[in-house]
Amino acid sequence: MRLLQVFFAFNVIVTIALLVFLVKGNYELGFEDILDFVNLIFDGISFWLIWQRKRLARYFIIGFSLFNIVLGTAFNIATGVFNPADQLLACTSDIILLAYFLTSRRAKAVLTKPFNAEVKQQELSKDINYYQPKTWAFWRNLIIYFCVFSVVGHWMEAGYCTLIRFGLIPGIYDPNSQIWSDWLYPFLVYGFGAVACVLLLYPVKNFLEKHIGSRVVPLIISFVINALVCTLIELAMGLMLNQPGPDGKLPLWDYSDMFCNFMGQVCLQNAVAFGVVATLMTWVIYPALEGWLAKVPRDGMNIAFIAVVVGFCILFFLYCINVLIPGVEVTADDDTGESTIEFSRQYDSDAGA
């Protein structure tokens, strides 16, 4: 079982890492490539299910192995390239997984944790306990999340733009964007997004789970709400900060060429991406972080809070605040990148006086 976990994790990490070497415009994604990406998602889910010792892992892996065998065979037959020996070789890993989880007693003995109402209620009670807005710990952690995710969001956007760069998803790639420099530059919109997830979307998620006796339906509804709320946040930020310049172009971002966009400020693709990230935040990341931080002694968390806030303030004032001082000019050399501080003569004479 441990070997399978290592295999699934290794395959996900290595395959994603190899995507970096794909050059935009030099490849086309075919059916087999898309199926490989779907299987990559399957590997990630299988890793988590086995790690959590969920009984569902066995049925999930059996079902998906059958899916791969049937779909791959049907596709090859339909396209006229079916060869029994080649097909058997291509399905080897799925056949091994299928045989193992159908016959292994160890798999049945190890994968015992159910997805039932009792477990769901226990998990929901724990999640509800994390939401304590009347306590200092809640707001302390929330401020930490705002500071941290303002920077982490920058890195996430860089990863998203990398996918655009390599042509894996549509979009506009700008090599001169600030995304690719100043890696500690805080993007406050992502900090506010994290706060919105905790204050608004997390209680909605708990409400849905409490009143809907299913796991899938609350997840789907939560995803739709998360996508809408995050899109509205981006739209509001755009209307405030991303107004057209004299040339009529939007200075910060422009989705005018994207499918299903509104005023160039928001688009369907980003809405889906925001929905995925916000759903991960509300369903997985925030509860996990709260569980881990709860194990840290109170004094330790307070010290960490001070360190994070002070560090964030340094970054914010270093990158985001520019104050003009009369008589002082700061210039940067385009070749070396070094900054020079110059004092005007008028300023010097005034100082001497």
Side-chain angles (χ1 to χ4, degrees), residues 9 30 49 87 89 100 160 164 167 186 200 213 223 253 289 291 311 339 343-344 349-350:
L49 289 173
Q87 190 62 36
L89 182 62
Y100 176 76
Y160 185 75
I164 297 176
L200 177 61
F223 169 80
W253 64 84
L289 288 175
S339 298
F343 298 89
S344 66
S349 62
D350 291 344

Side-chain angles (χ1 to χ4, degrees), residues 210-330:
K210 184 176 181 180
H211 291 85
I212 300 177
S214 168
R215 283 186 175 271
V216 177
V217 176
L219 180 62
I220 295 174
I221 298 176
S222 174
F223 169 80
V224 174
I225 295 174
N226 294 347
L228 288 174
V229 170
C230 292
T231 301
L232 288 175
I233 291 176
E234 184 182 34
L235 177 61
M237 295 289 288
L239 295 177
M240 290 188 294
L241 306 175
N242 193 33
Q243 290 298 309
D247 57 357
K249 296 182 178 180
L250 299 175
L252 300 180
W253 64 84
D254 190 350
Y255 306 138
S256 299
D257 295 330
M258 297 293 291
F259 171 72
C260 196
N261 76 86
F262 179 70
M263 298 177 63
Q265 301 285 5
V266 295
C267 64
L268 180 61
Q269 178 178 299
N270 278 21
V272 173
F274 287 141
V276 171
V277 173
T279 302
L280 283 174
M281 181 69 181
T282 53
W283 285 74
V284 180
I285 298 175
Y286 176 67
L289 288 175
E290 285 294 295
W292 293 337
L293 295 184
K295 299 177 182 179
V296 180
R298 183 179 61 182
D299 289 340
M301 280 305 306
N302 289 335
I303 292 173
F305 167 76
I306 296 172
V308 170
V309 170
V310 172
F312 177 80
C313 289
I314 292 173
L315 294 177
F316 182 76
F317 283 91
L318 189 64
Y319 289 123
C320 303
I321 302 297
N322 294 291
V323 179
L324 297 178
I325 303 176
V328 179
E329 183 179 359
V330 182

Side-chain angles (χ1 to χ4, degrees), residues 172-184:
I172 300 174
Y173 168 69
D174 181 7
N176 299 317
S177 172
Q178 190 179 35
I179 295 172
W180 310 112
S181 61
D182 297 332
W183 288 98
L184 294 179

